[in-house]
């Protein structure tokens, strides 16, 4: 019994290795394998589960574990933060898209307040 799934990157649809899977109220996180897959033993019940990874926005969703045989599928799709997107673009030698540049300038303005 429990949950199992994959944590994927929204843009590439590739699995995210070393993402952290946290269950609210339980102080025992698990991390994803190199392909983004994970499993977590849990007793039957409803759980709020959060997937997080460096450079990505965290996602929380409700997952229900039942007495049915096998784990409940609980997959996640994470979106890169603007800062991470910028790092990747600059590393690839690409120009920063205007929408991303404006968003980053707004974020910097909020941070300076």
């Amino acid at each position: 019994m429990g949950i199992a799934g994959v944590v994927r990157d929204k843009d590439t649809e590739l699995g995210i290795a070393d993402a952290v899977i946290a269950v609210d109220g339980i102080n025992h996180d698990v991390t994803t394998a190199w392909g983004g897959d994970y499993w977590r033993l849990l007793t039957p019940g409803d759980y709020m589960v959060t997937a997080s990874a460096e450079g990505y926005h965290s996602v929380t969703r409700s997952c229900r574990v039942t007495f049915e045989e096998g784990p409940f599928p609980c997959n996640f799709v994470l979106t890169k933060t603007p800062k991470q997107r910028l790092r990747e673009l600059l590393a690839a030698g690409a120009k920063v898209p205007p929408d991303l540049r404006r968003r980053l300038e707004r974020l910097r303005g909020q941070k300076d307040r």
Side-chain angles (χ1 to χ4, degrees), residues 52-88:
S52 58
E54 187 175 334
Y56 290 87
H57 294 287
S58 298
V59 173
T60 300
R61 63 172 289 203
S62 176
C63 298
R64 173 174 283 176
V65 177
T66 66
F67 285 101
E68 302 287 323
E69 188 174 320
F72 176 83
C74 193
N75 298 306
F76 294 88
V77 177
L78 303 185
T79 305
K80 289 181 179 130
T81 62
K83 191 174 183 178
Q84 181 65 26
R85 285 182 57 206
L86 177 61
R87 279 189 195 126
E88 291 176 4

Side-chain angles (χ1 to χ4, degrees), residues 17-72:
D18 298 320
V20 176
I21 305 299
V23 179
D24 282 359
I26 300 176
N27 189 21
H28 180 80
D29 299 343
V30 296
T31 57
T32 58
W34 68 269
D37 57 312
Y38 77 93
W39 58 271
R40 175 73 170 85
L41 294 174
L42 293 168
T43 58
D46 293 319
Y47 298 91
M48 293 304 293
V49 182
T50 301
S52 58
E54 187 175 334
Y56 290 87
H57 294 287
S58 298
V59 173
T60 300
R61 63 172 289 203
S62 176
C63 298
R64 173 174 283 176
V65 177
T66 66
F67 285 101
E68 302 287 323
E69 188 174 320
F72 176 83

